Amino acid sequence: MKVLVGIKRTIDANVKVRVKADESGVETANVKMTINPFCEIAVEEAVRMKEAGIAEEVVVVTAGPEEARQTLMTALAIGADRAVHVVAEQDIQPLAVAKVLKAVIEQESPGLVILGKQAIDDDSNQTGQMLAALLGWPQATFASKITLGEGEAEVTREIDGGLETLTVKLPAVVTTDLRLNEPRYASLPNIMKAKKKPIDAKTVEEWGVDAAPRIEVLNVKSPGKREAGVIVENVAELVDKLQNEAKVL
Amino acid sequence: MASLVVAEHDNIELKRATLHAVTAASQFEGEVHILVAGADSAAVAAAAAQVAGVTKVLHADDPAYGHGLAENLAPLIVGLAEGYDHLLACATTFGKNTMPRVAALLDVAQISEISAIVSADTFVRPTYAGNAMATVKSNDARKVITVRATAFDAAAEEGGSAAVEAIDGPGDQGLSRFERHELSVSERPELTSADIVVSGGRGMQSGENFSLVEAVADRLGAAVGASRAAVDAGYVPNDYQVGQTGKVVAPNLYVAVGISGAIQHLAGMKDSKVIVAINKDEEAPIFQIADYGLVADLFKALPELAEELDKQNISKN
Ligand SMILES: Cc1cc2nc3c(=O)[nH]c(=O)nc-3n(C[C@H](O)[C@H](O)[C@H](O)COP(=O)(O)OP(=O)(O)OC[C@H]3O[C@@H](n4cnc5c(N)ncnc54)[C@H](O)[C@@H]3O)c2cc1C
Ligand SMILES: Nc1ncnc2c1ncn2[C@@H]1O[C@H](COP(=O)(O)O)[C@@H](O)[C@H]1O
């Protein structure tokens, strides 16, 4: 079985994001970019399937600018076999990403597709669900455990009330939650090896996908800043303040 | 035209999340309808009909809808979409799972987790863990929306008298099957609707030590939450996680114990009315947003706090 993984390049989770002065977006110049953490978990899961002999090949796909090639290299260093780079200079929104991934999937025919549950830049949490809809495939979102069986997969999902386990027919789209696995650090030899792995780069137009944005961003503002309060000396003072000053007890 | 709110429920009770989505829907022009899709879910439809401001309840009762499987729900919702400008659900794991599937089938974008409505097509939504508030305009004919519960008050559970209309849907699509649940059972209030939340972080050191957090929470009638680090370490279940990729809460009082205050955690609690931080490290970033900070060892401070609450007769136990 072939496993296909969709990955996105995002601002590193440790960066303190700043809104641009003209409110057109966030500052990305000279800001550290990495593979979206949920995508890293998705790649790790696929590579483990290959190591366990369940998957034959792991293909990673990203839609994004030239620089997104770096993100593909990260995935190849974790252990993916080859990459597809759908080059898109404009802002590419989840519905368009889902359409791009669908086009690639129709060519690649994977038995399983793994995406992250959420890209930590736009916090959209939609692409996997949209892709499953467009393909007419089942979806298992927010996965913390995937067990592959004959023609189906059992997936445990992190939901608001606890955990839920579903069986989905294959092929299916699964999106990862934080507890699915702990991604490895790529070793130096694997980073070197990644450089030799094939990356197939073509533009969105060449894939024949309409990637026009459906949502216009009118402006981006900083949230209201919360001021630091006071340091209390002890528990008694804390309780007194909560009772008599904040009046929340 | 009207708005359709997709109800969240367990076939017995209408979940409070639905009430927040109703309030958002009522900011648009036109009627607000609720879709209750479930199995043996007449009680939920009856409850939905009581919600203030709702004029019609569409009730699809079929075993295929009993577990909220997105594969079965999405075609049902899509079949109803023509009558609505806005289709909404709360941004819970249920809404997040279902609504993008609906949007894609309609070939429209989804506007995720809105925190304000500017007009029928323009919304505010947090991005980058709440560090950038984007005002976005949807150019699609139909708007599929998930709603951040903490940004919209819950509609009143009573006061409405909507008609309940039974409808049929396309039923089981044969793609997925529910196997089982492992739901957290708790006597405490639900995290996202609690008035007071006490959360523990990596500083708690173990699951057993969370009993110190619980002792304080129970005296305050509070819910218990956690940081990702505490969940990852297995101290508490996944559904305790507060943050960018967990639950968003905005109680009257949030007490963060042994939590450093990473942006991903703040994203889930910084809209709380009053924030208290208990941390032994005076440099911890959580103090920068806390209204009241106590620099102390939590293993000393939590028992003292429980005792002080008893002494001041604040305890609810
Ligand atoms: C993709 C992604 C998503 C994430 N999503 C979330 C999310 O939704 N929610 C979330 O919370 N995090 C999330 N995180 C993780 C986040 O970045 C932090 O790692 C996490 O919040 C840290 O948890 P913590 O504060 O409990 O642990 P730490 O940062 O280790 O802090 C522990 C604190 O406890 C204090 N302490 C230790 N011992 C004591 C003691 N005896 N008494 C008093 N204080 C003590 C220490 O001084 C320290 O400040 C996410 C990260 C990523 C990359
Ligand atoms: N530009 C992209 N290219 C490839 N995959 C993507 C892209 N954007 C999002 N994804 C996938 O969709 C997941 C969820 O993203 P989102 O719906 O934007 O929150 C990500 O974790 C990726 O797996």
Side-chain angles (χ1 to χ4, degrees), chain B residues 271-283:
Chain B
D271 291 330
S272 304
K273 194 166 151 247
V274 174
I275 296 173
V276 169
I278 302 177
N279 197 304
K280 68 176 180 190
D281 173 11
E282 61 181 335
E283 301 287 319

Side-chain angles (χ1 to χ4, degrees), chain B residues 282-299:
Chain B
E282 61 181 335
E283 301 287 319
I286 189 82
F287 288 124
Q288 289 164 22
I289 62 138
D291 299 282
Y292 301 104
L294 177 64
V295 181
D297 185 334
L298 68 91
F299 293 103

Side-chain angles (χ1 to χ4, degrees), chain A residues 11 13-19 25-26 28 37-38 41 93 95 98-99 117-127 129-134 136-142 152 154 156-170 177-179 181 213-243 245-249, chain B residues 8 67 69-71 91-94 96-98 100-105 107-113 122 125-140 174-184 190 195-196 220 228 231-232 238-239 241 244-247 252-253 255 263-264 269-276 278 287-295 300-302 304-305 308-309 312 314:
Chain A
I11 290 187
N14 299 311
V15 168
K16 176 111 187 63
V17 169
R18 277 206 326 254
V19 169
V26 305
T28 50
F38 289 99
I41 294 171
Q93 296 177 351
L95 181 61
K99 289 179 180 179
K117 82 162 176 182
Q118 175 176 348
I120 59 160
D121 47 8
D122 282 336
D123 287 333
S124 291
N125 197 329
Q126 340 177 325
T127 308
Q129 298 86 312
M130 289 185 147
L131 175 61
L134 297 179
W137 290 6
Q139 65 186 52
T141 51
F142 327 143
E152 47 183 46
E154 192 180 87
T156 301
R157 311 176 51 228
E158 295 200 355
I159 58 168
D160 289 337
L163 296 171
E164 174 186 88
T165 302
L166 302 179
T167 296
V168 291
K169 285 214 172 116
L170 294 177
D177 217 317
L178 294 168
R179 262 68 63 176
N181 61 50
R214 302 292 188 83
I215 293 180
E216 255 177 86
V217 179
L218 302 183
N219 63 57
V220 176
K221 296 189 179 178
S222 276
K225 203 177 167 314
R226 229 190 141 102
E227 296 300 323
V230 296
I231 295 290
V232 295
E233 285 307 313
N234 52 46
V235 165
E237 188 188 345
L238 175 64
V239 171
D240 176 63
K241 287 240 187 309
L242 291 176
Q243 219 179 352
E245 193 176 272
K247 301 195 194 301
V248 286
L249 292 186
Chain B
E8 181 166 348
H67 291 290
L69 295 172
E71 295 83 350
T92 53
T93 51
F94 168 78
K96 288 173 177 173
N97 185 49
T98 309
R101 194 166 178 111
V102 172
L105 293 175
D107 192 31
V108 303
Q110 176 188 265
I111 307 108
S112 293
E113 207 156 358
T122 304
R125 55 177 305 266
T127 60
Y128 292 92
N131 288 309
M133 304 301 290
T135 301
V136 299
K137 178 169 178 286
S138 158
N139 293 321
D140 288 316
L175 294 172
S176 57
R177 206 169 61 236
F178 171 82
E179 297 291 349
R180 61 191 171 271
H181 264 150
E182 272 171 68
L183 300 182
S184 297
E190 209 271 310
D195 212 34
I196 302 180
L220 297 172
R228 173 190 172 180
V231 176
D232 282 4
N238 62 280
D239 52 299
Q241 184 179 315
Q244 178 188 17
T245 62
K247 287 180 179 159
N252 269 327
L253 174 60
V255 185
I263 48 171
Q264 291 86 2
M269 45 65 80
K270 71 177 155 67
D271 291 330
S272 304
K273 194 166 151 247
V274 174
I275 296 173
V276 169
I278 302 177
F287 288 124
Q288 289 164 22
I289 62 138
D291 299 282
Y292 301 104
L294 177 64
V295 181
K300 191 164 155 282
L302 283 176
E304 273 179 27
L305 181 52
E308 182 70 16
L309 292 172
Q312 301 298 329
I314 297 166

